[in-house]
């Protein structure tokens, strides 16, 4: 029994370590005016890739953090199949990203907070529950959930303030 508990504690520590890396990436996204989502792709103890949302920077609607790390991971492994990998993402992935994870055959998805408007794991859609998929991704949610949720809340709160200020400026002119 103790071995199992130690193993889980070790997994929790590792999950938090890599989620903190994803949070650092999310911070970079927010600083660049992007929605603050970060992701890390791991194989064993090796970080294959880490990135953040860069849709605006790259003028690419598919440049979500998850997609970017899947692409880098494929390049690193020289294979589009990313078997035995773990994806850490600060926010519940959208349908596009979940589908890409299934196609890439990642083994496990770990995410921090729910995305009620477009989350495709459990919030809005439940794509990974579909028995018709040819690959199953195991999922763990809630790692550093508070921190992951807070970065999004702060970003959108600031964004709303900026919109109010810019609309006030337009009215005064």
């Amino acid at each position: 029994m103790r071995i199992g508990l130690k193993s889980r504690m070790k997994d929790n520590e590792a999950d938090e370590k890599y989620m903190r890396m994803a949070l650092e990436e999310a911070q970079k996204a927010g600083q660049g005016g992007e929605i603050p989502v970060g992701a890390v792709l791991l194989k064993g103890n090796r970080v294959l890739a880490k990135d953040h949302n860069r849709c605006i920077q790259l003028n690419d609607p598919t440049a979500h953090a998850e997609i970017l790390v899947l692409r880098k991971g494929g390049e690193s492994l020289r294979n589009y199949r990313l078997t035995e990998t773990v994806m850490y993402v600060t926010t519940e992935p959208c349908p596009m990203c979940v589908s890409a994870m299934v196609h890439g055959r990642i083994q496990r998805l770990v995410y921090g907070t729910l995305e009620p408007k477009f989350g495709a794991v459990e919030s809005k859609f439940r794509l990974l529950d579909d028995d018709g998929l040819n690959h199953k991704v195991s999922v763990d949610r809630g790692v550093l959930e508070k921190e992951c949720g807070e970065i999004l809340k702060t970003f959108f709160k600031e964004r709303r303030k900026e919109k109010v200020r810019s609309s006030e400026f337009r009215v005064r002119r």
Side-chain angles (χ1 to χ4, degrees), residues 75-172:
E75 289 173 12
S76 175
L77 295 175
R78 299 178 56 96
N79 195 333
Y80 73 106
R81 296 288 193 225
L82 304 170
T83 58
E84 300 175 7
T85 59
V86 179
M87 169 83 71
Y88 290 88
V89 189
T90 55
T91 305
E92 179 182 9
C94 74
M96 173 185 68
C97 293
V98 167
S99 296
M101 289 177 205
V102 170
H103 285 291
R105 306 293 197 269
I106 71 159
Q107 180 177 16
R108 180 173 171 239
L109 166 65
V110 181
Y111 66 94
T113 193
L114 295 171
E115 210 299 24
K117 291 185 179 181
F118 220 55
V121 178
E122 66 180 290
S123 296
K124 187 74 170 180
F125 310 102
R126 300 182 77 82
L127 296 183
L128 295 175
D129 289 345
D130 190 329
D131 289 333
L133 296 176
N134 62 347
H135 176 71
K136 289 288 182 193
V137 177
S138 72
V139 178
D140 290 302
R141 173 180 72 87
V143 176
L144 301 180
E145 184 172 13
K146 183 179 177 186
E147 294 91 330
C148 292
E150 194 59 40
I151 194 170
L152 284 168
K153 287 177 190 169
T154 301
F155 176 81
F156 285 112
K157 184 178 179 181
E158 290 300 314
R159 202 174 208 189
R160 284 189 294 276
K161 281 182 189 177
E162 288 173 15
K163 280 187 177 182
V164 168
R165 280 188 288 241
S166 68
S167 66
E168 287 173 355
F169 179 74
R170 277 185 267 147
V171 170
R172 290 182 186 156

Side-chain angles (χ1 to χ4, degrees), residues 44-84:
N45 292 324
R46 179 177 159 218
V47 174
L48 296 177
K50 56 185 180 173
D51 214 325
H52 52 275
N53 278 1
R54 295 195 291 140
C55 297
I56 297 167
Q57 178 190 352
L58 298 176
N59 298 307
D60 180 355
T62 70
H64 292 196
E66 302 94 320
I67 299 296
L68 296 173
V69 299
L70 289 170
R71 289 174 182 162
K72 289 178 180 178
E75 289 173 12
S76 175
L77 295 175
R78 299 178 56 96
N79 195 333
Y80 73 106
R81 296 288 193 225
L82 304 170
T83 58
E84 300 175 7

